[in-house]
């Protein structure tokens, strides 16, 4: 089924610095983000269909800006 991605947690600094594409899951760092490590929680959801049940998982990702 259809898979979607959404930032659901992390501190304010990290949520402002990172953006995730809801359809592809690609993570982008916003311009002028300071050096450092940013952590956010991302919820990944797969829609169900007649064969598979819907499923969600939350993962923590770290992005290091040099």
């Amino acid at each position: 089924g259809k898979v979607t991605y959404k930032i659901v947690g992390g501190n304010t600094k990290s949520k402002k610095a990172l953006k995730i594409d809801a359809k592809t899951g690609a993570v982008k760092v916003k311009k002028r983000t300071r050096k450092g490590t940013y952590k956010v929680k991302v919820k990944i959801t797969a829609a169900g269909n007649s064969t598979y049940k819907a499923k969600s998982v939350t993962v923590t990702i770290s992005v290091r800006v040099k």
Side-chain angles (χ1 to χ4, degrees):
K2 179 181 170 186
V3 178
T4 57
Y5 304 83
K6 181 179 181 181
I7 293 177
V8 294
N11 63 34
T12 303
K13 180 178 100 170
S14 294
K15 289 193 285 186
K16 285 183 179 180
L18 304 176
K19 185 176 181 181
I20 192 163
D21 185 294
K23 293 180 183 178
T24 66
V27 177
K28 294 183 181 181
V29 178
K30 293 183 181 174
K31 289 182 180 180
R32 295 189 272 293
T33 296
R34 291 183 176 203
K35 292 180 182 180
T37 301
Y38 299 85
K39 291 184 180 181
V40 290
K41 288 188 178 184
V42 177
K43 183 176 183 181
I44 305 164
T45 304
N49 59 28
S50 59
T51 307
Y52 301 103
K53 292 181 181 179
K55 179 76 175 170
S56 291
V57 64
T58 302
V59 298
T60 300
I61 61 167
S62 295
V63 176
R64 188 169 164 206
V65 178
K66 294 183 178 184

